[in-house]
Amino acid sequence: MDRALDEARAAAARGEVPVGAVLVGPDGAVIAADGNRTRAGHDPTAHAEMLVIRAGCAVLGVERLTGCDLYVTLEPCAMCAAAISAARVARVYYGAGDPKSGGVAHGARVFSHPQCHHVPEIYDGIGGAESEALLRAFFAARRGATGAEGI
Amino acid sequence: MDRALDEARAAAARGEVPVGAVLVGPDGAVIAADGNRTRAGHDPTAHAEMLVIRAGCAVLGVERLTGCDLYVTLEPCAMCAAAISAARVARVYYGAGDPKSGGVAHGARVFSHPQCHHVPEIYDGIGGAESEALLRAFFAARRGATGAEGI
């Protein structure tokens, strides 16, 4: 998760929402690591989770990341949760919960329906305070420090 | 929708699940059209809708497809529905419903939660019979015609 937090900080430095993700293989080796890139890439799908899933599949030449784990600093949204399921990621470790836009423990709760064909193990709250602090600082700065109701 | 069905047929010819999508601009011009490419690209996120959203944003140099419409032959899954919302697509026209994997009228019902920050207008059932026939034929052929419980 430390590496994912580094990626979140790097995203903030690029002016992107500070969320970072790391994909780890069954042997514990890092396969892919990245942060949000929606603005730079003009790509609303370029969330950190999507980028590491796509990069991981490309590196391994597979469509399914069986046995791989994903670390992400913020609760995945519905898009990323469904992509995690489609990619058959084994375990998801996430930092801060996201009551505003989350799709795992909030809102669409993507893993809680029979239309979800693979449910990963979920571990939440790991590095959550640091992740939330990054997000709050980012949104506070963007809003001229008038409000920090960012995430 | 005829163009989307053509893309679905082209996807089937490539050995991909036959789903096609077309993104149309506010002036009615086609901005992007594609079919599923998950297998060829080793990319579980390469659903037709994701590809035309990403291509459309790249073509226009924007993160938001305000005023654009998306035609897709099958009900979007949760991943694609959330991407449609993130991209601020104005209207979604889809063909067949997808009780097994859909995320609009089934399962996660992505647009039905406050965590979804943009809800497009939805029009379903357009070209649905043709879309379903394509999917059934594809899965029947893949299963050696022993069962057509594909979609």
Side-chain angles (χ1 to χ4, degrees):
Chain A
M1 189 60 83
D2 285 341
R3 175 73 184 274
L5 286 163
D6 286 344
E7 293 290 345
R9 285 183 204 102
R14 294 192 301 268
E16 304 272 359
V17 175
V19 179
V22 177
L23 183 72
V24 175
D27 60 355
V30 171
I31 299 171
D34 212 337
N36 270 15
R37 292 185 184 272
T38 61
R39 278 166 205 165
H42 298 306
D43 182 356
T45 76
H47 287 186
E49 303 94 309
M50 301 293 280
L51 295 175
V52 299
I53 287 171
R54 297 182 63 217
C57 287
V59 165
L60 301 175
V62 296
E63 238 189 288
R64 297 189 169 185
L65 298 166
T66 311
C68 293
D69 298 343
L70 191 146
Y71 293 79
V72 57
T73 57
L74 184 66
E75 177 187 343
C77 73
M79 173 180 72
C80 294
I84 285 165
S85 178
R88 303 295 192 269
V89 170
R91 282 164 291 271
V92 176
Y93 301 83
Y94 71 80
D98 188 357
K100 190 177 160 199
S101 304
V104 175
H106 299 90
R109 291 180 170 79
V110 164
F111 300 132
S112 307
H113 308 277
Q115 285 78 5
C116 174
H117 306 303
H118 166 79
V119 177
E121 294 174 32
I122 303 285
Y123 303 92
D124 65 351
I126 300 142
E130 274 178 88
S131 167
E132 201 168 318
L134 275 173
L135 286 155
R136 287 193 182 281
F138 178 80
F139 285 111
R142 284 219 315 182
R143 289 170 186 168
T146 56
E149 1 115 43
I151 68 168
Chain B
M1 189 59 84
D2 285 341
R3 174 75 183 273
L5 286 163
D6 286 345
E7 294 290 346
R9 285 183 204 103
R14 294 191 301 269
E16 303 273 359
V17 175
V19 179
V22 176
L23 183 73
V24 175
D27 60 355
V30 170
I31 299 171
D34 212 338
N36 270 14
R37 293 185 184 273
T38 61
R39 279 168 204 162
H42 299 305
D43 182 356
T45 77
H47 287 187
E49 303 95 308
M50 302 293 280
L51 295 176
V52 299
I53 287 171
R54 297 183 62 218
C57 288
V59 165
L60 300 175
V62 296
E63 238 190 289
R64 296 189 169 186
L65 298 166
T66 311
C68 294
D69 299 342
L70 191 144
Y71 294 79
V72 57
T73 57
L74 185 67
E75 177 187 342
C77 74
M79 173 180 71
C80 294
I84 285 165
S85 177
R88 303 295 191 268
V89 170
R91 281 164 292 270
V92 176
Y93 301 83
Y94 71 80
D98 188 357
K100 190 177 159 198
S101 304
V104 175
H106 299 91
R109 291 180 170 78
V110 166
F111 301 131
S112 307
H113 308 277
Q115 286 77 6
C116 174
H117 306 304
H118 166 79
V119 177
E121 294 174 31
I122 303 285
Y123 302 92
D124 65 351
I126 299 141
E130 275 177 86
S131 167
E132 202 169 317
L134 276 172
L135 286 155
R136 286 193 183 280
F138 179 80
F139 285 111
R142 284 219 314 182
R143 290 170 186 169
T146 56
E149 1 115 44
I151 67 169

